[in-house]
Amino acid sequence: MYRFIVSAALAAVVASSSLAFADQSSGRIKAFDATAMTLTLQDGTTYTLPKDFKNPGLATGERVQITWSMQGAEHMASSVTMIQ
């Protein structure tokens, strides 16, 4: 019985740590660096953009919505949408 409980607990830990949960944030652009592939909002949060990111015309002051997830200590954006 003990072996079953330990195995089940270990399986639960492994399964939960491998899941990536996406979150969304919105705000105004403070800085966009196409070379470094980063986007910083006015609240100071910096998001790393995917390598295949196509710039839809991002500029300082534009309002955007970002879908992102944490990868280590980085906010990795999966999509950026301009909003009105």
Side-chain angles (χ1 to χ4, degrees), residues 11-61:
V13 168
V14 169
S16 67
S17 66
S18 65
L19 297 175
F21 296 101
D23 202 356
Q24 289 189 336
S25 298
S26 60
R28 295 203 181 273
I29 298 173
K30 178 178 180 180
F32 170 59
D33 186 339
T35 304
M37 297 302 287
T38 59
L39 177 68
T40 304
L41 296 184
Q42 286 182 345
D43 69 1
T45 307
T46 299
Y47 299 89
T48 302
L49 302 169
K51 294 193 187 305
D52 61 349
F53 179 76
K54 292 183 177 32
N55 183 359
L58 300 178
T60 301

